Amino acid sequence: MIDTIGGDIPAGEERLRLDVEDGIGILTLCRPGKLNAWSWESTRQLGLFADRIRFDDSIRAVLLRAEGRAFCAGIDITAPGGAITGRSGAERAHRTYEGVRWAHERFRAFAALPQPVVAAVQGYCLGFGFELALMADVRVAADDAVFAFPEAQVGVAVDAGGDLRVAREAGAGWAKLLALTGRRIDAATAERLHLLQQVVPPGELADAAYALAAEIAANAPLAVRGVKRGIDAYADAGLAGALDRVAMNAAITLTSEDSREGYGAKGEGRTPMFEGR
């Protein structure tokens, strides 16, 4: 039986959809025409669904998936509410810092769900898409998946802690290489770096990820949740303090002249001229 859960999300404004089937909460990024690009509204909806999943004892595991040819191609720069306003640079930085901290609270609610999360990734998994996948506990990808942190190429910081999670899984050197260059890696490389736990042909992704979520859901819930909490407590030691630095970095870079130049150059198809201001 499949139960679709909507709630406080107006029809036509869905960024994510939650279906519950046989103990598995299937959380789907559902804007394939936009390559599931992320926005403030996506973040709000993720927080809403995280709160529902957290207290739903019928959900024993979560499958995070996406419709279409991409998992998530990054931030939707055309989305409403994305403009940074303020009477001064300091006020814009302050508002951005608080906005990023608000987003971090929603991401933390998702990453800290008592139920384990299995991510199924296909196609582009870029910028925030990569960060979202890294919030899952276990990741399965199609062999056509592509991963990158392109933020520095447009003058902004990686702002949801994805680079920190790569450092945790693959080491600081790889985290710096990916975040400092914006270089793309394929699924085979991501698996070698322990960022993925399984790589399959695209046609097998849905079944492989669902089977893994079902395998977890079949186990004793108290034991499963305890295992997740224990491992996270060890692996995420120091993460909270580091994420506050990430929020400040994001506030500084998102309000910088360099980011304005970076996004402008990208839109115009030219090489940006960064000046460090």
Side-chain angles (χ1 to χ4, degrees):
M1 177 181 179
I2 299 178
D3 179 22
T4 300
I5 300 172
D8 303 326
I9 302 170
E13 295 299 319
E14 299 90 347
R15 284 7 180 215
L16 298 102
R17 183 179 68 248
L18 177 63
D19 303 295
V20 180
E21 177 181 352
D22 298 330
I24 300 173
I26 305 171
L27 188 60
T28 302
L29 280 64
C30 57
R31 299 187 80 206
K34 290 275 192 178
L35 300 182
N36 298 308
W38 202 259
S39 64
W40 292 108
E41 177 59 19
S42 304
T43 298
R44 186 186 77 87
Q45 292 183 20
L46 181 69
L48 288 175
F49 283 125
D51 286 344
R52 289 173 191 160
I53 292 167
R54 177 181 182 179
F55 294 105
D56 189 337
D57 290 335
S58 73
I59 298 177
R60 295 190 172 192
V62 177
L63 174 59
L64 175 65
R65 60 176 296 276
E67 293 178 347
R69 61 190 179 90
F71 178 75
C72 175
I75 295 294
D76 183 359
I77 60 174
T78 68
I84 300 163
T85 61
R87 295 166 298 177
S88 67
E91 187 173 67
R92 288 192 297 274
H94 167 72
R95 289 180 175 178
T96 305
Y97 174 63
E98 290 303 324
V100 174
R101 290 181 65 236
W102 171 86
H104 282 183
E105 291 165 5
R106 274 78 194 158
F107 301 149
R108 182 163 55 249
F110 176 69
L113 281 172
Q115 302 94 331
V117 178
V118 176
V121 179
Q122 78 278 5
Y124 291 123
C125 186
L126 308 178
F128 181 79
F130 194 4
E131 299 197 78
L132 179 64
L134 288 163
M135 293 178 202
D137 299 291
V138 182
R139 291 165 290 279
V140 182
D143 58 22
D144 67 349
V146 178
F147 303 86
F149 293 130
E151 285 87 345
Q153 296 176 345
V154 292
V156 298
V158 179
D159 61 7
D163 48 353
L164 307 181
R165 291 182 168 92
V166 171
R168 179 188 67 190
E169 304 285 347
W174 277 104
K176 291 174 183 177
L177 177 66
L178 295 178
L180 295 175
T181 66
R183 183 180 299 181
R184 295 185 178 189
I185 58 172
D186 60 18
T189 302
E191 184 180 33
R192 179 167 60 84
L193 297 178
H194 309 297
L195 303 177
L196 300 173
Q197 283 65 58
Q198 189 176 358
V199 175
V200 298
E204 299 177 16
L205 177 63
D207 288 343
Y210 188 91
L212 179 54
E215 185 177 354
I216 294 169
N219 290 329
L222 294 178
V224 165
R225 295 178 183 195
V227 167
K228 174 173 176 171
R229 283 194 298 269
I231 294 173
D232 283 351
Y234 169 76
D236 293 342
L239 184 63
L243 281 172
D244 190 68
R245 290 180 179 236
V246 166
M248 182 57 69
N249 253 351
I252 292 169
T253 58
L254 284 167
T255 56
S256 69
E257 293 297 320
D258 277 353
S259 69
R260 184 177 301 178
E261 165 66 11
Y263 280 108
K266 187 176 180 64
E268 296 166 12
R270 60 178 175 81
T271 301
M273 299 292 291
F274 296 126
E275 298 182 15
R277 60 187 180 92

